[in-house]
């Protein structure tokens, strides 16, 4: 018997995206087993295995077709594109989806006490970063000459050690900056997780699974915000009520037994339903309001 072809998907080994990435895949139906500290997570119910690696290596692994897919921050992808461009190549991996998690910014930060007069304050200064290509481009675009101090980590302590006057690093909650008495002054890039794929054409077996996975990812992303709402309302209030339902297309409207002018309305709202919306619906005549989470959705 021929061995089935298995997709290989690279995820961050340990970091901000690790749990969020595996969580997305589990919501897509994947059950996987991984022995402690193992590089490989074996997909038990799908021909899809996870490769746990350093996030900075993910674009290369996908570019070189070691992995078919990768979940990684746009910040890492953009830095890799610039690095390849500087060496005369263009990136061949493809971004398949922007994902709704892993939000952060690549920013310039300076010690709290430094007076900031805009980007020109960096003229002639040393900036520590693990993103030398993104930083170099940003500086060049602004015609600022500064020294880029490329580090492999622990960028936030460079100013205190006297190795740099400023840093260029990822900021998510801002707590790392605060703990190191640094303040964010410029944003170079807004980032979030993306799904990337190899430039190499995949055999049908594999590409079929990529298509299924994409459909499930879209479904997962849609339901995260979606709610199912049920309510009663007088027929006369229907136009007002429909206009208040956030992001819903065509609600189901049903007669209510024993009531001539009242109906029941059920609708999927593609956005979160806030208390303010419920209050407005009530004011418009709605009663018996119920909001439920949506578990799965397939367009
Ligand atoms: C980034 C960055 C900071 C931290 C900022 O590291 O280097 O250390 O996150 O987050 P905060 O604003 O919530 O404190 P990341 O986890 O991405 O690891 P890596 O840069 O080593 O991949
Ligand atoms: Zn990293």
């Amino acid at each position: 018997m021929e061995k089935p072809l298995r997709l290989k998907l690279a995820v961050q080994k340990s970091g901000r995206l690790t749990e969020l990435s595996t969580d997305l895949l589990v919501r897509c139906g994947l059950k996987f087993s991984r022995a402690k500290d193992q590089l490989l997570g074996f997909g038990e119910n799908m021909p899809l295995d996870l490769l746990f690696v350093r996030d900075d290596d993910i674009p290369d692994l996908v570019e070189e077709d070691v992995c078919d897919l990768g979940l990684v921050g746009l910040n890492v992808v953009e830095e890799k594109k610039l690095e390849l461009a500087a060496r005369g190549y263009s990136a061949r991996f493809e971004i398949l989806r922007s994902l709704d998690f892993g939000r952060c910014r690549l920013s310039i930060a300076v010690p709290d006490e430094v007076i900031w007069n805009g980007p020109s304050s960096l003229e002639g200064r040393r900036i520590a970063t693990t993103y030398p290509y993104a930083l170099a481009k940003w500086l060049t675009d602004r015609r600022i000459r500064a020294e880029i101090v490329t580090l492999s980590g622990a960028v936030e302590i460079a100013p205190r050690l006297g190795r740099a006057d400023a840093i260029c690093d990822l900021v998510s909650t801002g707590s790392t900056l605060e703990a190191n008495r640094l303040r964010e002054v410029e944003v170079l890039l807004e980032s979030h997780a993306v799904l990337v794929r190899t430039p190499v054409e995949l055999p049908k077996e594999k590409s079929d699974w990529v298509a299924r996975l994409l459909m499930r990812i879209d479904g997962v992303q849609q339901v995260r915000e979606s709610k199912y709402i049920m309510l009663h309302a007088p027929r006369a209030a229907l136009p007002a009520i429909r206009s208040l339902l956030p992001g819903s297309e065509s609600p189901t409207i049903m007669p209510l037994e024993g009531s001539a002018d009242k109906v029941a309305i059920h609708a999927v709202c593609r956005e979160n339903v806030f208390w303010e919306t419920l209050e407005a619906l009530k004011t418009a005549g709605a009663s018996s309001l119920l909001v439920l989470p949506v578990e799965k959705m397939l367009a």
Side-chain angles (χ1 to χ4, degrees), residues 30 66 70 111 133 137 186 202 240 261 265 272:
L30 179 72
V66 177
Y133 293 95
K137 178 173 190 303
E186 297 284 336
L202 296 174
D261 68 319
I265 303 172
N272 212 340

Side-chain angles (χ1 to χ4, degrees), residues 94-130:
E94 186 192 338
I95 297 184
L96 286 179
R97 285 292 185 280
S98 276
L99 303 167
D100 60 2
F101 61 88
R103 285 187 192 286
C104 60
R105 313 177 284 284
L106 182 63
S107 294
I108 305 273
V110 295
D112 280 339
E113 64 279 7
V114 167
I115 296 163
W116 184 252
N117 294 315
S120 63
S121 299
L122 293 169
E123 186 68 40
R125 304 281 170 189
R126 295 163 305 160
I127 313 166
T129 190
T130 54

